[in-house]
Amino acid sequence: MSERRQLALMLLPYAAGALLLFVVPAQLSFALALTDADLITPARYVGLDNLRALTEDPLFGEVLWRSALFVALAVPLRLVVATGLALLLHARFRGAGAARTTVFSPSVIPDTAWALVWLFLLNPLYGPVNALLGVAGIGRVSWFSDGDAAFAAIVLMFAFTIGESFIVALAARQELPAELYAVARLEGARPWYVLRVVTLPLMAPVLLLLAIRDVA
């Protein structure tokens, strides 16, 4: 069997999954957006009337702005945290496995348990977050009733679900050639210089893929 055919067979399940889970639902959603359907009476074609009504809704602009702001804040924050932890924990040392497991664990904790943890942390009366803010001289924040505070809480919670991004960034860092770092040490390169010139440029394709995934 040729290499090209083997590659095609390996990609076939992913292509089928993308077709069934993304392409077909997207086409059905687009067709449904052009109709007036209530799932009871027969659907009626209305063209772009739904889109026109959406753009005229005053809440649409607010939702669009909030979504763009969320992406601008949460995606870089999540990527920076995941990459920073991957760079810190990529080396072999005592306790590295436990530390990596701790970083990844929020991604496998059931959503209900994770929500209860955040409800405790952000409780406006006795939550640890408000207690720390009080020590810093900041007044109590109503995380669940104030719109801006709730938005900040969602960004914060999103930034902590970094398990998958952490694993991918960690694998990318461990795949970098050790010879490059040996040469950098021989030439007396400083760690920040190596990070900026060697590590991050080599990891850039993987980090870009993670950023695109989070945006999508």
Side-chain angles (χ1 to χ4, degrees):
M1 183 181 295
S2 65
E3 183 178 353
R4 180 173 297 181
R5 181 170 297 180
Q6 291 179 353
L7 181 61
L9 289 176
M10 292 176 62
L11 293 177
L12 183 61
Y14 297 96
L19 179 65
L20 294 177
L21 298 177
F22 297 101
V23 178
V24 173
Q27 291 180 343
L28 293 176
S29 298
F30 178 76
L32 186 63
L34 302 179
T35 63
D36 181 12
D38 56 11
L39 302 181
I40 298 177
T41 59
R44 181 173 58 88
Y45 177 77
V46 295
L48 298 178
D49 288 351
N50 290 331
L51 179 61
R52 189 176 300 109
L54 178 64
T55 56
E56 293 174 353
D57 191 333
L59 291 178
F60 176 70
E62 178 68 17
V63 171
L64 194 63
W65 157 247
R66 288 284 182 176
S67 299
L69 183 61
F70 175 81
V71 170
L73 294 177
V75 171
L77 180 61
R78 184 181 187 182
L79 189 61
V80 167
V81 173
T83 305
L85 290 174
L87 295 177
L88 289 174
L89 301 177
H90 78 90
R92 294 176 179 268
F93 59 90
R94 178 173 296 182
R100 295 170 185 172
T101 302
T102 302
V103 174
F104 183 72
S105 59
S107 298
V108 297
I109 294 176
D111 292 340
T112 303
W114 189 235
L116 291 175
V117 169
W118 280 107
L119 283 174
F120 167 72
L121 293 175
L122 299 177
N123 189 287
L125 298 179
Y126 54 81
V129 175
N130 269 355
L132 292 175
L133 293 178
V135 172
I138 302 175
R140 182 178 298 171
V141 179
S142 299
W143 295 103
F144 305 133
S145 58
D146 182 81
D148 293 333
F151 179 81
I154 293 174
V155 172
L156 183 64
M157 287 185 283
F158 183 80
F160 273 89
T161 55
I162 60 171
E164 295 177 358
S165 300
F166 166 74
I167 292 297
V168 173
L170 179 64
R173 173 59 186 87
Q174 292 180 337
E175 288 296 321
L176 298 184
E179 295 81 4
L180 296 176
Y181 296 92
V183 172
R185 286 193 297 269
L186 289 175
E187 295 184 353
R190 296 182 177 180
W192 283 110
Y193 180 83
V194 176
L195 175 65
R196 181 171 57 88
V197 177
V198 179
T199 304
L200 292 181
L202 291 177
M203 293 179 63
V206 175
L207 300 181
L208 179 61
L209 180 63
L210 290 175
I212 294 174
R213 185 206 63 172
D214 288 343
V215 170

Short mmCIF file of all heavy atoms in Angstrom, two decimals, residues 109-134:
data_model
loop_
_atom_site.label_atom_id
_atom_site.label_comp_id
_atom_site.label_asym_id
_atom_site.label_seq_id
_atom_site.Cartn_x
_atom_site.Cartn_y
_atom_site.Cartn_z
N ILE A 109 -12.44 16.90 35.79
CA ILE A 109 -13.41 16.98 36.88
C ILE A 109 -14.80 17.21 36.30
O ILE A 109 -14.97 18.02 35.38
CB ILE A 109 -13.05 18.13 37.85
CG1 ILE A 109 -11.73 17.83 38.55
CG2 ILE A 109 -14.14 18.36 38.87
CD1 ILE A 109 -11.25 18.94 39.44
N PRO A 110 -15.82 16.52 36.77
CA PRO A 110 -17.19 16.74 36.25
C PRO A 110 -17.61 18.20 36.38
O PRO A 110 -17.21 18.90 37.31
CB PRO A 110 -18.05 15.83 37.15
CG PRO A 110 -17.10 14.78 37.62
CD PRO A 110 -15.77 15.43 37.76
N ASP A 111 -18.38 18.65 35.40
CA ASP A 111 -18.78 20.06 35.36
C ASP A 111 -19.52 20.48 36.62
O ASP A 111 -19.37 21.62 37.09
CB ASP A 111 -19.66 20.31 34.13
CG ASP A 111 -18.88 20.17 32.84
OD1 ASP A 111 -17.64 20.27 32.89
OD2 ASP A 111 -19.51 19.97 31.79
N THR A 112 -20.32 19.56 37.18
CA THR A 112 -21.08 19.91 38.39
C THR A 112 -20.13 20.20 39.56
O THR A 112 -20.29 21.20 40.27
CB THR A 112 -22.02 18.76 38.76
OG1 THR A 112 -22.90 18.49 37.66
CG2 THR A 112 -22.85 19.13 39.98
N ALA A 113 -19.14 19.34 39.73
CA ALA A 113 -18.17 19.56 40.82
C ALA A 113 -17.36 20.82 40.58
O ALA A 113 -17.09 21.58 41.52
CB ALA A 113 -17.25 18.35 40.94
N TRP A 114 -16.97 21.07 39.35
CA TRP A 114 -16.21 22.26 39.01
C TRP A 114 -17.03 23.52 39.28
O TRP A 114 -16.52 24.52 39.79
CB TRP A 114 -15.79 22.18 37.55
CG TRP A 114 -14.81 23.21 37.08
CD1 TRP A 114 -14.96 24.06 36.03
CD2 TRP A 114 -13.51 23.50 37.61
NE1 TRP A 114 -13.85 24.86 35.87
CE2 TRP A 114 -12.94 24.53 36.84
CE3 TRP A 114 -12.77 22.99 38.68
CZ2 TRP A 114 -11.69 25.06 37.09
CZ3 TRP A 114 -11.51 23.52 38.93
CH2 TRP A 114 -10.99 24.54 38.14
N ALA A 115 -18.33 23.47 38.95
CA ALA A 115 -19.19 24.61 39.21
C ALA A 115 -19.33 24.87 40.71
O ALA A 115 -19.34 26.03 41.16
CB ALA A 115 -20.57 24.38 38.59
N LEU A 116 -19.43 23.80 41.52
CA LEU A 116 -19.53 23.98 42.97
C LEU A 116 -18.26 24.59 43.55
O LEU A 116 -18.31 25.41 44.48
CB LEU A 116 -19.81 22.62 43.63
CG LEU A 116 -21.20 22.02 43.36
CD1 LEU A 116 -21.31 20.64 43.98
CD2 LEU A 116 -22.30 22.93 43.91
N VAL A 117 -17.11 24.21 42.99
CA VAL A 117 -15.85 24.80 43.45
C VAL A 117 -15.84 26.30 43.20
O VAL A 117 -15.49 27.10 44.09
CB VAL A 117 -14.66 24.12 42.75
CG1 VAL A 117 -13.36 24.89 43.02
CG2 VAL A 117 -14.52 22.68 43.21
N TRP A 118 -16.26 26.72 42.01
CA TRP A 118 -16.27 28.15 41.70
C TRP A 118 -17.34 28.89 42.48
O TRP A 118 -17.17 30.06 42.83
CB TRP A 118 -16.44 28.35 40.20
CG TRP A 118 -15.16 28.17 39.45
CD1 TRP A 118 -14.81 27.13 38.65
CD2 TRP A 118 -14.03 29.05 39.47
NE1 TRP A 118 -13.54 27.29 38.15
CE2 TRP A 118 -13.04 28.47 38.64
CE3 TRP A 118 -13.76 30.26 40.10
CZ2 TRP A 118 -11.80 29.08 38.42
CZ3 TRP A 118 -12.53 30.86 39.88
CH2 TRP A 118 -11.57 30.28 39.06
N LEU A 119 -18.46 28.23 42.74
CA LEU A 119 -19.49 28.86 43.57
C LEU A 119 -18.96 29.16 44.97
O LEU A 119 -19.28 30.20 45.57
CB LEU A 119 -20.73 27.96 43.66
CG LEU A 119 -21.65 27.93 42.44
CD1 LEU A 119 -22.73 26.88 42.63
CD2 LEU A 119 -22.27 29.30 42.20
N PHE A 120 -18.14 28.26 45.49
CA PHE A 120 -17.52 28.50 46.80
C PHE A 120 -16.46 29.60 46.72
O PHE A 120 -16.42 30.50 47.56
CB PHE A 120 -16.90 27.20 47.32
CG PHE A 120 -15.99 27.41 48.49
CD1 PHE A 120 -16.49 27.74 49.74
CD2 PHE A 120 -14.60 27.29 48.34
CE1 PHE A 120 -15.64 27.95 50.82
CE2 PHE A 120 -13.76 27.49 49.42
CZ PHE A 120 -14.28 27.82 50.66
N LEU A 121 -15.60 29.54 45.70
CA LEU A 121 -14.52 30.52 45.59
C LEU A 121 -15.04 31.94 45.40
O LEU A 121 -14.49 32.90 45.95
CB LEU A 121 -13.59 30.15 44.43
CG LEU A 121 -12.77 28.87 44.58
CD1 LEU A 121 -12.00 28.58 43.30
CD2 LEU A 121 -11.81 28.98 45.76
N LEU A 122 -16.11 32.08 44.61
CA LEU A 122 -16.63 33.41 44.27
C LEU A 122 -17.84 33.81 45.10
O LEU A 122 -18.50 34.80 44.76
CB LEU A 122 -16.98 33.45 42.78
CG LEU A 122 -15.83 33.20 41.81
CD1 LEU A 122 -16.33 33.21 40.38
CD2 LEU A 122 -14.73 34.23 42.00
N ASN A 123 -18.12 33.06 46.15
CA ASN A 123 -19.26 33.43 47.00
C ASN A 123 -19.08 34.85 47.52
O ASN A 123 -18.04 35.18 48.11
CB ASN A 123 -19.38 32.45 48.17
CG ASN A 123 -20.65 32.65 48.95
OD1 ASN A 123 -20.81 33.61 49.69
ND2 ASN A 123 -21.58 31.73 48.76
N PRO A 124 -20.05 35.74 47.32
CA PRO A 124 -19.86 37.15 47.70
C PRO A 124 -19.80 37.37 49.21
O PRO A 124 -19.32 38.42 49.65
CB PRO A 124 -21.09 37.84 47.09
CG PRO A 124 -22.10 36.76 46.92
CD PRO A 124 -21.34 35.51 46.63
N LEU A 125 -20.25 36.40 50.02
CA LEU A 125 -20.27 36.59 51.47
C LEU A 125 -19.03 36.02 52.15
O LEU A 125 -18.41 36.68 52.97
CB LEU A 125 -21.54 35.95 52.05
CG LEU A 125 -22.86 36.54 51.56
CD1 LEU A 125 -24.03 35.81 52.18
CD2 LEU A 125 -22.93 38.03 51.87
N TYR A 126 -18.68 34.76 51.82
CA TYR A 126 -17.57 34.12 52.52
C TYR A 126 -16.57 33.48 51.56
O TYR A 126 -15.76 32.66 51.99
CB TYR A 126 -18.10 33.05 53.49
CG TYR A 126 -19.00 32.03 52.86
CD1 TYR A 126 -18.50 30.95 52.14
CD2 TYR A 126 -20.38 32.15 52.98
CE1 TYR A 126 -19.32 30.02 51.56
CE2 TYR A 126 -21.23 31.21 52.40
CZ TYR A 126 -20.69 30.15 51.70
OH TYR A 126 -21.52 29.23 51.12
N GLY A 127 -16.61 33.84 50.30
CA GLY A 127 -15.70 33.25 49.33
C GLY A 127 -14.26 33.69 49.52
O GLY A 127 -13.99 34.83 49.91
N PRO A 128 -13.29 32.81 49.26
CA PRO A 128 -11.87 33.16 49.40
C PRO A 128 -11.43 34.29 48.51
O PRO A 128 -10.55 35.08 48.88
CB PRO A 128 -11.15 31.85 49.05
CG PRO A 128 -12.17 30.77 49.28
CD PRO A 128 -13.48 31.38 48.94
N VAL A 129 -12.01 34.40 47.31
CA VAL A 129 -11.61 35.46 46.38
C VAL A 129 -11.94 36.83 46.97
O VAL A 129 -11.10 37.75 46.97
CB VAL A 129 -12.27 35.27 45.01
CG1 VAL A 129 -11.95 36.45 44.08
CG2 VAL A 129 -11.81 33.96 44.37
N ASN A 130 -13.14 37.00 47.49
CA ASN A 130 -13.50 38.27 48.11
C ASN A 130 -12.69 38.53 49.37
O ASN A 130 -12.38 39.68 49.71
CB ASN A 130 -15.00 38.29 48.43
CG ASN A 130 -15.81 38.86 47.29
OD1 ASN A 130 -15.27 39.32 46.29
ND2 ASN A 130 -17.13 38.84 47.43
N ALA A 131 -12.33 37.46 50.09
CA ALA A 131 -11.49 37.63 51.27
C ALA A 131 -10.11 38.17 50.88
O ALA A 131 -9.58 39.08 51.55
CB ALA A 131 -11.35 36.30 52.01
N LEU A 132 -9.54 37.65 49.80
CA LEU A 132 -8.25 38.15 49.34
C LEU A 132 -8.35 39.59 48.84
O LEU A 132 -7.45 40.41 49.08
CB LEU A 132 -7.71 37.25 48.22
CG LEU A 132 -7.30 35.83 48.64
CD1 LEU A 132 -6.90 35.01 47.41
CD2 LEU A 132 -6.15 35.89 49.64
N LEU A 133 -9.45 39.90 48.17
CA LEU A 133 -9.65 41.27 47.72
C LEU A 133 -9.78 42.22 48.91
O LEU A 133 -9.31 43.36 48.86
CB LEU A 133 -10.90 41.36 46.83
CG LEU A 133 -10.82 40.64 45.48
CD1 LEU A 133 -12.13 40.77 44.73
CD2 LEU A 133 -9.68 41.21 44.63
N GLY A 134 -10.44 41.74 49.98
CA GLY A 134 -10.55 42.57 51.17
C GLY A 134 -9.21 42.85 51.81
O GLY A 134 -8.95 43.96 52.28
#
